[in-house]
Amino acid sequence: MPKTTIGILYDFDKTLCTTDMQEYSFIKNLGMTSNEFWGAAANITEKHEVEKILAYMFVMIKKCKEKGIPLTEEYLNKCGENVVLFKGVETWFDRINEYGESLGVKIEHYIISSGTYEIIQGTPIAKYFKRIYACKYMYDENGEALWPALAINYTLKTQYIYRISKGILDVTDDYNLNRLQDESLRRIAYRNMIYIGDGMTDIPCMKMLKSKGGKSIALYQSGKSETVKPLVDDERINYVCVADYSPNSTLEKIVKLMIENMAILEKLKSKEEQQLSQYRRSNEMD
């Protein structure tokens, strides 16, 4: 019998790293402050009624051209090397995978982010993810960013939960994504999914998973618990804790408890199905 797969889905900015990923190197290399960069994106949104994610992706292209910086995939990967991760993140994935293995389940990790795919790809943890779903560029013949290939805002994030559950991981495969599929045939059942995020932009994913039997965890930086208070008040999440991925941290204890619970329930479900199958076979023989 194949192992049960449990999917852990993460936002990136302020969930795995300490601030917006563009702020570590990309914005500084432009000679801009964070307020100036995000303000320029907000002006584009207001002036032209451009969706906020598309606006920031446009400003990245525009400002790099003005500064004579080739906006290539390699350059963005390089910016990812300077991203500062929360405590314990770099060893988190191996620890959680080993724990799942000890319980006889397989753990898969996924990113669903409105940040920049190529920057995430440059981080030391990129190798741990089954898929990284984030905003991505297409490139011209010189390898420079030409136009957004993929833009993911906070409501579009939920599409990727469906993809992960169904196993339709190719972002261009809308046909199979929209085909009716029996819940029992899902690659990862919703009840075996955990979403970890940090705030308001994660609400649609958190609410969706919680309503379908999955689990949601909201993280906050030490001393800033007020950022997740609306999620607690509105009962959008199952748990809330500080963004610390260290061994024996509260987050690790919560996630391990969730994995253990999912593993036990799947074993019970499998046992019930086997007993039912045996009962049916015995009745057919009679």
Side-chain angles (χ1 to χ4, degrees):
M1 181 178 294
K3 287 184 179 180
T4 293
T5 300
I6 293 173
I8 306 181
L9 288 49
Y10 308 79
D11 178 40
F12 196 87
D13 293 341
K14 302 174 186 175
T15 296
L16 290 167
C17 66
T18 59
T19 190
D20 293 322
M21 64 184 71
Q22 294 84 1
E23 298 186 13
Y24 298 101
S25 293
F26 183 84
I27 294 174
K28 291 178 181 178
N29 293 347
L30 293 173
M32 301 177 74
T33 65
S34 296
N35 287 340
E36 287 171 340
F37 177 84
W38 297 115
N43 288 338
I44 294 294
T45 292
E46 184 177 350
K47 183 177 180 180
H48 300 286
E49 296 185 347
V50 176
E51 199 277 333
K52 291 180 180 179
I53 302 301
L54 291 172
Y56 97 67
M57 294 182 78
F58 171 78
V59 171
M60 287 177 71
I61 294 175
K62 182 174 183 289
K63 293 300 181 181
C64 277
K65 285 183 177 179
E66 290 175 358
K67 292 291 183 178
I69 300 173
L71 185 56
T72 63
E73 185 174 3
E74 292 74 19
Y75 175 71
L76 290 170
N77 289 165
K78 194 72 176 175
C79 290
E81 295 177 6
N82 296 318
V83 166
V84 178
L85 302 167
F86 281 118
K87 185 179 179 182
V89 167
E90 292 199 41
T91 61
W92 165 265
F93 305 97
D94 285 332
R95 284 185 278 120
I96 295 301
N97 291 346
E98 288 172 8
Y99 184 72
E101 190 70 28
S102 73
L103 297 175
V105 297
K106 180 181 179 182
I107 308 296
E108 290 182 354
H109 305 273
Y110 295 84
I111 290 289
I112 307 178
S113 171
S114 294
T116 307
Y117 172 88
E118 293 88 344
I119 292 179
I120 298 173
Q121 278 284 75
T123 66
I125 59 172
K127 61 186 178 183
Y128 291 108
F129 300 103
K130 177 77 173 180
R131 282 289 189 282
I132 296 172
Y133 294 115
C135 302
K136 191 175 184 179
Y137 288 105
M138 58 180 289
Y139 297 87
D140 63 18
E141 62 276 7
N142 298 315
E144 295 189 37
L146 180 65
W147 192 258
L150 187 65
I152 302 175
N153 65 23
Y154 67 99
T155 52
L156 285 175
K157 281 186 173 186
T158 57
Q159 174 195 144
Y160 299 94
I161 294 179
Y162 286 109
R163 287 194 180 278
I164 293 165
S165 177
K166 285 187 169 185
I168 313 300
L169 304 182
D170 181 354
V171 297
T172 65
D173 189 354
D174 293 331
Y175 175 75
N176 284 308
L177 176 65
N178 291 309
R179 287 183 65 187
L180 184 64
Q181 185 185 67
D182 190 276
E183 292 285 340
S184 64
L185 299 176
R186 294 290 176 105
R187 187 171 180 277
I188 305 178
Y190 293 125
R191 64 180 178 273
N192 292 331
M193 301 176 88
I194 302 167
Y195 186 91
I196 303 177
D198 70 283
M200 301 301 286
T201 59
D202 298 303
I203 284 178
C205 288
M206 290 175 165
K207 183 179 179 181
M208 174 188 166
L209 263 192
K210 188 170 182 285
S211 69
K212 290 182 175 292
K215 302 296 182 182
S216 296
I217 304 171
L219 302 183
Y220 63 90
Q221 296 193 43
S222 183
K224 298 181 180 180
S225 58
E226 71 280 357
T227 60
V228 294
K229 187 176 184 300
L231 301 176
V232 177
D233 293 342
D234 296 339
E235 299 182 348
R236 306 291 183 94
I237 53 176
N238 298 100
Y239 293 93
V240 58
C241 66
V242 71
D244 180 357
Y245 292 78
S246 301
N248 298 316
S249 64
T250 299
L251 177 60
E252 183 179 84
K253 291 175 182 177
I254 290 171
V255 170
K256 284 185 173 180
L257 182 62
M258 289 178 173
I259 292 170
E260 181 182 15
N261 184 60
M262 291 172 180
I264 291 171
L265 290 177
E266 287 302 318
K267 286 179 181 178
L268 290 174
K269 185 172 179 291
S270 176
K271 187 175 181 180
E272 288 174 356
E273 289 174 349
Q274 288 176 3
Q275 290 173 340
L276 180 60
S277 177
Q278 290 174 355
Y279 174 76
R280 286 173 176 170
R281 283 201 302 270
S282 64
N283 281 348
E284 288 172 358
M285 291 175 65
D286 293 341

